[in-house]
Amino acid sequence: MDATPESFAYRCLPLNIANAHGWEILNPHGFSAEWNGGAGTDAVTVRPDPGADPRRMAVSLFGQGVLTFHVEAILRTPPG
């Protein structure tokens, strides 16, 4: 995250929290992702498995090989 331009990855709160605490979330469909080492968002190729819904796949929004997973849920911690 430090290597992203102007440390931009730290501006994404979910990414920042996940980096600090670690999250484990199952994706609803299988896929493969390949990063060619480039800095742009086009440097990651995501290939859904057969039968997977491509609209629910991870995407590259930040570049630098970072994948974004759209979580269809609201997560809450217990009060206090």
Side-chain angles (χ1 to χ4, degrees):
M1 290 177 49
D2 293 333
T4 58
E6 299 180 39
S7 298
F8 187 77
Y10 286 105
R11 297 179 192 167
C12 175
L13 185 58
L15 180 61
N16 201 0
I17 292 170
N19 186 52
H21 298 285
W23 291 353
E24 188 171 317
I25 299 174
L26 298 177
N27 204 55
H29 300 286
F31 69 94
S32 62
E34 184 176 344
W35 178 41
N36 68 15
T41 58
D42 61 343
V44 175
T45 302
V46 179
R47 291 179 202 84
D49 285 354
D53 184 350
R55 297 172 297 172
R56 299 182 77 189
M57 288 297 104
V59 294
S60 178
L61 294 178
F62 295 102
Q64 307 295 322
V66 175
L67 285 177
T68 296
F69 295 85
H70 298 287
V71 179
E72 298 173 358
I74 296 175
L75 307 174
R76 294 185 181 184
T77 60

